[in-house]
Amino acid sequence: MKALVIDDSRAMRVILGGMLKQLGFEVADAENGRVGLDRLRSMEQIDIVLVDWNMPEMNGYEFLVNMRAERKYDEVRIMMVTTETEMSQMQKALSSGANEYVMKPFTREVIQEKLEMLGVVVHQAA
Amino acid sequence: MSDQDDIVREFLTESYDNLDQLDRDLVSLEKDTRNKDCLARIFRTIHTIKGTCGFFGFGKLEALTHVGENLLSKLRDGVLFLTPTLTTALLAMVDAVRQLLDDIEKTGQEGARDNTSLQAKLTDLLNPDGDDAPAAIVAEPEPIHEYRERKPIGETLIEAGAVKAEDVQAALSLQAAGDPRHVGEILVEQHALNPQDLVQSLKAQQDAPTSQLSESNIRVDVGLLDKLMNLVGELVLARNQILQYTATQKDTNFLSTSQRLNLITTELQEGVMKTRMQPIGNIWSRFPRVVRDLATMCGKQVRIEMEGKETELDKTIIEAIKDPLTHVVRNSVDHGIEGADLRVSRGKPAEGCLRLRAFHEGGQVNIEITDDGGGIDPARIKKKALERGLITRDQAERMSDRECVQLIFLPGFSTAEKISNISGRGVGMDVVKTNIEKIGGAIDVQSQYGKGTTLKIKIPLTLAIIPALIVTSGGDRYAIPQVNLLELVRLAGDQVKGAIERIHGAPVYRLRGRLLPLVYLNKALNVESCVKATEEGTINIVVLQADDRQFGLVVDGINDTEEIVVKPLGKQLKGIPLFAGATIMGDGKVALILDVMGVAQMGGIISEIRDRGLGDLASRSQEIRSDRQSLLIFGIGRSLRMAIPLSLVARLEELPATSIEMADQREVVQYRGQIMPLIRLGGVLGVGDDGTPKELLQVVVYSEGGRSVGLVVDRILDIVETPSEMQRQGGRNGILGSTVIQQRVTDLLDVPGIIRTQEPEFFGSKI
């Protein structure tokens, strides 16, 4: 399973990447939406993209719109990583093609649960 | 949980980096309040910290950044407008965030710091009430316009193989000739290009990544770089050893291999040194903030300008100059730049300007800090220095304005009349000077009273590997850092005899008419010279610069220049001022690196480091008290020492013996369009000359009433200042009396008397 983490904060990429690896993902990352699109296009297989909202150059919402414009990624799930501040705009993101969102701070369990709901991760009995 | 620790460290590094940028952004935002990029960056930094710290349970940090974020989002959305109050509050928030991060870094915990009042203040600012509120501006929704540098379409097309280069060239020249169509359009219309290819290339052009920078940089632990530097140092030493061995070998394979090793080592060394280089902008970046805070506190307006931010320096040097530079910058704002009212009354713009400039020159980095403030008042400096007993009244009177300004580097000097909480804390310019000198740098100040002050700092690029001259003395080798080296003088054969004279009991060498004090390295080191008959053999003088003095170091032999790796001295040798360090030579033996300043001090060339700026003045003033005069000391015959008041000397000339002509049975020369009679003092005084035939005559020119006469002497020895009291009056013809100068009996020449007897017409009808 392959995941792409897009966040301008190195610390966040490490945190999120670490959690996803524990869940058995191969993780690629990018520091903003524009680099994220490049990275995405260079990947042969991709199951889920986790994207931050506020980033320089191209923010998460713009990334979402760009990615959803390419039909071949229709099946790829997108999870918005957000803070309280951006919650007001979350509806906009969900109607533009985001599948799920998660609010910072989150735990690995929360991520796992959300991924299971999306069907990216198979539910494992504890 | 070490994973967690790593993540926290990552978080801290990232946050510190971002906060540095944020400081700069906030200050520039104050000037250009509509800079949306700046605001967005600031917001994002705080937002990121807030978003991340939740993962570690840093509640205080989260609470603080939360308020800050709210405030910033209102600014970003144009609901609030940036005011100085707001900026100050935001900067205070940034400081508090930094403190929290520092605590976390040190203890892993947030600590007991309480930020509630700051948070309350920030919250207050969130809801401006009524009249005090800065007028809210309506956010002008601006489309997000992303500027990208795009690759020209022609290039993209050629690369894709869709079009021939000539066709693109032709299309471009059409465009240049005024064709308004796009290159692609022209090409398609000329059937040079398939429209489908154009569409594809346009898309490719759009999608091409604009910058690879973020992916071509990685972070490296400083400890690792230090270790690499050390290893390269060792490699350089091993390389030197092999090169030395190579010199005795004939095997061509071995020779070419060692040549390659040599080249690669040099390149590697340069490469590793480069990794340790940092732009000086890294330390400058905090100055806008420093200047802003300080200016606000002093009620001044100060703009900071920077030039040469990208100038690179070794990391250790960057660290060493950080504090001195900050101090200088604070000083300029606090003492240098005047308050706005005063500035306006002096006809200057209300806003003062502080300029930082850095550039490479001659293997050194130059840093200049210039302000257009009030400059340094020499009179006030003098007064202060007198009050503090740093100089005597005599010295003060004799001091030029330029010398005066240098007094600020004296220990215990501070001119701030008001002791503010910014400066005047006892840390003065002397500490700045000491710190700069500790890393082999130099500092100088130039000031124009009323116009401004410039501080110039020169520092070496690196300290780890330096070029040095290798010399021998007493059978051992020593390294002299090349920065101190001026020239090498080698005296052999006939030149040796009488080359070294003694003045004041101290050996000197006459270098191009200048007296160069000498220090014998073997004497300074207290070792036996290996060269037994220095008098008959050769003399090697290494001319060195110590502070503002030059001196010659006499050594047994001069070997070569070499890149040496500076190793610190063991603690047994650390206290010896003569040595700056040690290095390992090509043959594996250790050589000590001479500290030129230390050698100069030991040889009595310069006095104590601390009052070097004043050394000259102080030593002179101890010799002299009241009415003193300057005397020119010269030698006649083999042993006669004579003096005349310098005030009687128009010039000192060296005239070739061939230029002497005879007129009316007297020796004359053509001098400045006149016929100047010569008086050979040796002959007149009946002592003869010193017996050596001379090609050049030393002539003391005496002028009066537009006419000149030349007094031929054998040697010009010195110029001294002495009390003008005479020890013994009268005596021989032409001699006013005798006095003791520099512990030797010296006759005072009666110049007018001599001229009267020799050239009766010189004083014309007066006689």
Short mmCIF file of all heavy atoms in Angstrom, two decimals, chain B residues 16 23 80 89 110 146 210 220 233 235 263 265 323 365 368 474 578 611 647 674 683 713 716-717:
data_model
loop_
_atom_site.label_atom_id
_atom_site.label_comp_id
_atom_site.label_asym_id
_atom_site.label_seq_id
_atom_site.Cartn_x
_atom_site.Cartn_y
_atom_site.Cartn_z
N TYR B 16 12.56 26.83 15.01
CA TYR B 16 13.57 27.89 15.13
C TYR B 16 13.83 28.53 13.78
O TYR B 16 13.87 29.75 13.65
CB TYR B 16 14.89 27.33 15.68
CG TYR B 16 14.88 27.06 17.17
CD1 TYR B 16 15.39 25.88 17.69
CD2 TYR B 16 14.37 28.00 18.05
CE1 TYR B 16 15.39 25.64 19.05
CE2 TYR B 16 14.36 27.77 19.41
CZ TYR B 16 14.88 26.58 19.92
OH TYR B 16 14.88 26.35 21.26
N ASP B 23 10.73 36.72 12.19
CA ASP B 23 11.23 38.00 12.70
C ASP B 23 11.46 38.98 11.56
O ASP B 23 11.04 40.12 11.61
CB ASP B 23 12.57 37.78 13.42
CG ASP B 23 12.37 37.54 14.90
OD1 ASP B 23 11.25 37.80 15.37
OD2 ASP B 23 13.31 37.10 15.56
N LEU B 80 -8.06 43.27 10.50
CA LEU B 80 -7.23 44.15 11.31
C LEU B 80 -6.12 44.70 10.44
O LEU B 80 -5.75 44.12 9.42
CB LEU B 80 -6.60 43.37 12.47
CG LEU B 80 -7.44 43.11 13.71
CD1 LEU B 80 -6.66 42.27 14.67
CD2 LEU B 80 -7.90 44.40 14.34
N ALA B 89 3.37 43.59 19.96
CA ALA B 89 2.70 42.48 20.64
C ALA B 89 3.04 41.16 19.96
O ALA B 89 3.32 40.15 20.62
CB ALA B 89 1.20 42.71 20.65
N GLU B 110 7.71 22.07 29.19
CA GLU B 110 7.43 23.46 28.86
C GLU B 110 7.90 24.43 29.93
O GLU B 110 8.02 25.62 29.68
CB GLU B 110 5.93 23.66 28.66
CG GLU B 110 5.48 23.20 27.30
CD GLU B 110 4.03 23.50 27.08
OE1 GLU B 110 3.21 23.03 27.87
OE2 GLU B 110 3.73 24.23 26.13
N GLU B 146 -0.14 33.00 -9.19
CA GLU B 146 1.11 32.33 -8.94
C GLU B 146 2.09 32.65 -10.05
O GLU B 146 1.85 32.38 -11.22
CB GLU B 146 0.86 30.83 -8.93
CG GLU B 146 1.79 30.11 -8.00
CD GLU B 146 1.45 28.66 -8.03
OE1 GLU B 146 0.26 28.30 -7.95
OE2 GLU B 146 2.39 27.88 -8.16
N THR B 210 9.18 24.16 -11.23
CA THR B 210 9.89 25.41 -11.39
C THR B 210 11.19 25.43 -10.61
O THR B 210 12.11 26.11 -10.96
CB THR B 210 9.03 26.58 -10.91
OG1 THR B 210 8.59 26.27 -9.60
CG2 THR B 210 7.86 26.78 -11.81
N VAL B 220 22.70 18.53 7.61
CA VAL B 220 23.76 17.66 8.12
C VAL B 220 24.13 18.10 9.53
O VAL B 220 24.18 19.29 9.82
CB VAL B 220 25.02 17.74 7.21
CG1 VAL B 220 26.08 16.78 7.70
CG2 VAL B 220 24.64 17.42 5.78
N GLY B 233 41.93 17.47 7.59
CA GLY B 233 43.18 18.00 8.12
C GLY B 233 44.25 16.92 8.19
O GLY B 233 45.38 17.11 7.74
N LEU B 235 44.28 14.21 6.49
CA LEU B 235 44.61 13.79 5.13
C LEU B 235 45.61 14.75 4.50
O LEU B 235 46.54 14.33 3.82
CB LEU B 235 43.32 13.74 4.29
CG LEU B 235 43.49 13.25 2.85
CD1 LEU B 235 43.96 11.82 2.83
CD2 LEU B 235 42.17 13.37 2.09
N LEU B 263 46.20 16.51 -5.89
CA LEU B 263 45.12 17.31 -6.46
C LEU B 263 43.79 17.01 -5.79
O LEU B 263 43.03 17.91 -5.44
CB LEU B 263 45.01 17.04 -7.97
CG LEU B 263 46.17 17.56 -8.80
CD1 LEU B 263 46.02 17.15 -10.26
CD2 LEU B 263 46.25 19.08 -8.68
N THR B 265 43.23 15.72 -2.87
CA THR B 265 43.19 16.20 -1.49
C THR B 265 42.86 17.68 -1.43
O THR B 265 42.03 18.12 -0.63
CB THR B 265 44.55 15.95 -0.80
OG1 THR B 265 44.90 14.59 -0.99
CG2 THR B 265 44.47 16.25 0.67
N ASP B 323 28.36 37.84 18.49
CA ASP B 323 28.15 38.77 19.60
C ASP B 323 28.82 40.13 19.39
O ASP B 323 28.18 41.15 19.60
CB ASP B 323 28.62 38.13 20.92
CG ASP B 323 27.67 37.01 21.33
OD1 ASP B 323 26.54 36.98 20.79
OD2 ASP B 323 28.04 36.18 22.16
N VAL B 365 37.55 38.50 4.96
CA VAL B 365 36.21 39.05 4.85
C VAL B 365 36.20 40.41 5.52
O VAL B 365 36.72 40.57 6.61
CB VAL B 365 35.19 38.13 5.51
CG1 VAL B 365 33.82 38.78 5.52
CG2 VAL B 365 35.13 36.81 4.77
N GLU B 368 31.65 46.06 7.17
CA GLU B 368 31.57 47.47 7.54
C GLU B 368 30.20 47.78 8.12
O GLU B 368 29.19 47.38 7.56
CB GLU B 368 31.81 48.36 6.32
CG GLU B 368 33.21 48.24 5.77
CD GLU B 368 33.42 49.05 4.50
OE1 GLU B 368 32.47 49.77 4.10
OE2 GLU B 368 34.49 48.96 3.92
N GLY B 474 67.44 27.61 15.65
CA GLY B 474 67.96 26.67 16.63
C GLY B 474 67.66 25.23 16.28
O GLY B 474 67.47 24.40 17.15
N LEU B 578 54.19 33.20 22.90
CA LEU B 578 54.88 33.13 21.62
C LEU B 578 54.20 32.21 20.63
O LEU B 578 54.36 32.35 19.43
CB LEU B 578 56.31 32.61 21.83
CG LEU B 578 57.34 33.58 22.38
CD1 LEU B 578 58.65 32.86 22.56
CD2 LEU B 578 57.52 34.74 21.41
N ASP B 611 46.62 47.88 25.99
CA ASP B 611 46.61 49.30 25.63
C ASP B 611 47.46 49.55 24.40
O ASP B 611 48.17 50.52 24.31
CB ASP B 611 47.07 50.17 26.81
CG ASP B 611 48.28 49.58 27.49
OD1 ASP B 611 48.08 48.72 28.35
OD2 ASP B 611 49.39 49.96 27.13
N SER B 647 62.66 70.97 13.31
CA SER B 647 62.01 72.15 12.75
C SER B 647 62.91 72.86 11.75
O SER B 647 62.44 73.64 10.92
CB SER B 647 61.62 73.11 13.88
OG SER B 647 62.75 73.38 14.68
N GLN B 674 67.06 74.80 -8.44
CA GLN B 674 68.03 75.75 -7.89
C GLN B 674 69.41 75.08 -7.85
O GLN B 674 69.52 73.88 -7.96
CB GLN B 674 67.65 76.10 -6.44
CG GLN B 674 66.49 77.03 -6.30
CD GLN B 674 66.31 77.43 -4.85
OE1 GLN B 674 67.10 77.04 -3.99
NE2 GLN B 674 65.29 78.20 -4.60
N GLY B 683 83.77 66.82 7.02
CA GLY B 683 84.92 67.64 6.73
C GLY B 683 84.96 68.89 7.61
O GLY B 683 85.98 69.23 8.21
N VAL B 713 75.46 64.16 5.55
CA VAL B 713 75.77 63.39 6.76
C VAL B 713 76.07 61.95 6.35
O VAL B 713 75.84 61.58 5.20
CB VAL B 713 74.60 63.43 7.78
CG1 VAL B 713 74.23 64.86 8.11
CG2 VAL B 713 73.39 62.68 7.23
N ILE B 716 71.49 58.69 8.57
CA ILE B 716 70.32 59.20 9.27
C ILE B 716 69.94 58.10 10.27
O ILE B 716 69.75 56.94 9.88
CB ILE B 716 69.13 59.43 8.32
CG1 ILE B 716 69.49 60.42 7.20
CG2 ILE B 716 67.90 59.89 9.10
CD1 ILE B 716 69.56 61.85 7.61
N LEU B 717 69.85 58.42 11.55
CA LEU B 717 69.62 57.36 12.54
C LEU B 717 68.17 57.31 13.03
O LEU B 717 67.57 56.24 13.09
CB LEU B 717 70.56 57.55 13.74
CG LEU B 717 72.05 57.41 13.42
CD1 LEU B 717 72.88 57.64 14.67
CD2 LEU B 717 72.36 56.05 12.84
#
